[in-house]
Amino acid sequence: MPTLVIGNKLYSSWSMRPWLLMRQLGIAFDEILIPLDRPDTKARVLEHSPAGKVPILIDSDVTVWETLAIMEYVGDAYDAQVWPVDLKARAMARSVAAEMHAGFQGLRSTCPMNLGKKYARRDRGDAVAKDVARFSDIVRQARERFGQGGPFLFGEFSAADAMYAPLVTRLDTYSIALDTTTQAYVDAVLALPAFQEWRNAALTEAWIVDADEVDEEPIEVYRQAALRQGPGTHES
């Protein structure tokens, strides 16, 4: 059985991506959770990967330490349908997944993933608005062209949806206004059984990562964290 090394479920957006995909595809795996931003975080992660970041997939004598590479490996090693079957849909899915990997910096930096709180709707700046508009374009185009087989970007759940799931949580956490099509997609991802499992586990965590706590009063708090740790290794 492979092992997936991840960070805090409350905050670790990159960890969520392969975890959701593997869980949704029914691929069994063990899990090692290394809390982020603690004094020993870097050393503990380096025990599993020379890159020093999570997530990391360890499968016997194979180690994969990059999210998209993990997803591709899972498809190859376990004969899993990671990408859409249709060639045109698969090309778009890989393109938008790579765009997520390298882009949306305004939304990612201004609105860090935090599954433990919800904040009131307000203007979060031009960079966030631009990213939300681009995300809505992706959702609309994918759903119109390839979404007939289900509620996700390309119908059935794929690696593209796993890549965008943390962004979806940000839209919910920060009460971002969305058009009807985008909101329906957001609701579908949040209702996913694998996401619900991840979120329920996240809400039992005690650690606080200061880098992912914005300086404003939340309108809802889903869990009260008990521990505040010092600086360490953080990823977003």
Side-chain angles (χ1 to χ4, degrees):
M1 187 181 297
T3 297
L4 189 65
V5 183
I6 62 174
N8 311 50
K9 289 180 176 176
L10 200 75
Y11 303 109
S12 185
S13 56
W14 286 105
S15 296
M16 178 196 285
R17 292 173 166 111
W19 193 101
L20 281 185
L21 183 71
M22 293 176 72
R23 191 65 103 220
Q24 190 64 20
L25 294 178
I27 298 170
F29 60 94
D30 290 325
E31 173 187 308
I32 296 174
L33 192 153
I34 299 175
L36 301 174
D37 284 18
R38 300 181 71 178
D40 63 344
T41 297
K42 187 76 170 182
R44 292 184 62 188
V45 174
L46 285 171
E47 292 176 3
H48 304 284
S49 164
K53 294 183 179 181
V54 292
I56 306 155
L57 183 70
I58 303 166
D59 192 12
S60 186
D61 61 347
V62 175
T63 300
V64 192
W65 58 83
E66 195 281 327
T67 299
L68 279 174
I70 291 173
M71 293 179 176
E72 293 283 5
Y73 176 82
V74 165
D76 293 339
Y78 295 93
D79 195 26
Q81 192 61 56
V82 169
W83 300 106
V85 175
D86 179 81
L87 181 63
K88 294 178 181 179
R90 190 160 67 248
M92 183 179 178
R94 282 182 162 136
S95 296
V96 298
E99 183 176 348
M100 176 69 251
H101 195 285
F104 297 92
Q105 293 297 331
L107 185 56
R108 288 159 61 181
S109 61
T110 303
C111 303
M113 190 175 98
N114 186 341
L115 300 181
K117 295 178 180 178
K118 191 177 185 72
Y119 297 96
R121 180 176 300 173
R122 67 178 180 83
D123 183 0
R124 298 195 176 272
D126 292 342
V128 171
K130 181 179 178 179
D131 284 350
V132 172
R134 174 56 189 151
F135 173 66
S136 294
D137 285 343
I138 290 171
V139 173
R140 177 181 52 78
Q141 292 173 24
R143 296 289 302 144
E144 287 179 356
R145 295 182 62 192
F146 306 111
Q148 294 76 20
F152 301 107
L153 289 176
F154 301 92
E156 296 183 3
F157 188 85
S158 74
D161 301 294
M163 286 296 293
Y164 279 90
L167 187 151
V168 163
T169 72
R170 288 165 158 94
L171 299 176
D172 180 63
T173 295
Y174 297 93
S175 304
I176 304 293
L178 302 169
D179 61 78
T180 302
T181 300
T182 306
Q183 186 64 58
Y185 173 68
V186 166
D187 293 342
V189 173
L190 296 179
L192 195 70
F195 173 75
Q196 290 293 318
E197 182 183 352
W198 173 280
R199 186 174 185 275
N200 289 339
L203 296 181
T204 68
E205 294 177 349
W207 311 286
I208 291 175
V209 176
D210 286 329
D212 287 329
E213 294 289 337
V214 298
D215 187 21
E216 61 184 274
E217 193 70 25
I219 57 175
E220 290 188 61
V221 177
Y222 303 120
R223 73 88 161 99
Q224 294 287 347
L227 301 178
R228 185 179 300 276
Q229 301 296 343
T233 298
H234 179 70
E235 51 76 56
S236 62

